[in-house]
Amino acid sequence: MSKAFEIDIPMKDRPMAVMIKQREEAETANVFDIYYCDELCGCIFKNENNVWIYEPHAHAALLLDDGQIQHLGKGIADQAYNS
């Protein structure tokens, strides 16, 4: 069973809540899908240099800057690996 949880991403006006779901397949267990308003917007994973990488889906991507991506990655690490 995959883990699913919500994370708030800091934005200019107010935080934006996204749903994070960990993938179930063993080879992609460290990849997390990002949903906003119940629509898949992309995925995020940590590379070999411990940097979080966001891969948006072209049709419904979120526009996130580096700081927001790293904030999202930290939130994922806190909830997925430390809970």
Side-chain angles (χ1 to χ4, degrees), residues 58-76:
H59 66 282
L62 296 174
L63 299 176
L64 302 175
D65 66 26
D66 292 342
Q68 292 166 326
I69 294 168
Q70 297 310 309
H71 174 85
L72 184 57
K74 182 182 179 323
I76 290 170

Side-chain angles (χ1 to χ4, degrees), residues 43-61:
C43 65
I44 189 168
F45 61 92
K46 191 185 289 190
N47 71 8
E48 63 276 357
N49 297 315
N50 287 331
V51 175
W52 287 94
I53 306 296
Y54 168 55
E55 291 185 348
H57 290 293
H59 66 282

Side-chain angles (χ1 to χ4, degrees), residues 5-79:
F5 47 88
E6 193 173 285
I7 294 180
D8 289 334
I9 301 172
M11 302 302 274
K12 196 173 203 174
D13 299 338
R14 57 189 164 102
M16 176 177 58
V18 294
M19 180 62 66
I20 305 297
K21 292 184 181 177
Q22 187 173 14
R23 293 196 180 164
E24 293 185 11
E25 303 86 21
E27 59 274 356
T28 59
N30 290 320
V31 177
F32 299 85
D33 289 319
I34 303 169
Y35 294 83
Y36 178 69
C37 294
D38 295 326
E39 187 166 348
L40 180 62
C41 296
C43 65
I44 189 168
F45 61 92
K46 191 185 289 190
N47 71 8
E48 63 276 357
N49 297 315
N50 287 331
V51 175
W52 287 94
I53 306 296
Y54 168 55
E55 291 185 348
H57 290 293
H59 66 282
L62 296 174
L63 299 176
L64 302 175
D65 66 26
D66 292 342
Q68 292 166 326
I69 294 168
Q70 297 310 309
H71 174 85
L72 184 57
K74 182 182 179 323
I76 290 170
D78 290 346
Q79 292 197 38

